[in-house]
Amino acid sequence: MIETITKHIPLISNCKEIIQITKGFSLDEKFLLHMHDENKTLLLRILDWKSLYQKRKSLLF
């Protein structure tokens, strides 16, 4: 999965390290990205479209 992400998102192609986060209650895939630039750390969350629809729907009610 990590290889697929780096191929499709050019911004993260030059990361020092990508760590998958498996803790938490969310079914989203989460990754901690350590960047070369200015020692930045980013959080990447990936979810499917059905989950996005359900999350938005639950926020409205």
Side-chain angles (χ1 to χ4, degrees), residues 2-3 22 31 35 43 45 53-54 58 61:
I2 293 173
E3 292 174 6
T22 56
F31 298 91
M35 307 296 287
L43 176 66
R45 293 178 66 151
Y53 175 74
Q54 291 297 326
S58 67
F61 297 106

Side-chain angles (χ1 to χ4, degrees), residues 2-59:
I2 293 173
E3 292 174 6
T4 304
I5 293 169
T6 56
K7 286 181 185 176
H8 293 290
I9 305 174
L11 174 68
I12 64 171
S13 63
N14 64 346
C15 287
K16 281 194 283 188
E17 184 178 31
I18 300 175
I19 302 169
Q20 185 168 10
I21 300 171
T22 56
K23 294 183 179 182
F25 296 104
S26 172
L27 296 177
D28 301 349
E29 292 187 59
K30 297 170 286 293
F31 298 91
L32 192 60
L33 310 171
H34 295 284
M35 307 296 287
H36 286 289
D37 305 335
E38 303 172 16
N39 293 325
K40 289 183 184 177
T41 301
L42 305 173
L43 176 66
L44 173 65
R45 293 178 66 151
I46 300 174
L47 64 143
D48 63 47
W49 287 107
K50 289 180 184 179
S51 297
L52 178 62
Y53 175 74
Q54 291 297 326
K55 286 182 181 190
R56 286 185 177 174
K57 185 177 173 183
S58 67
L59 291 174

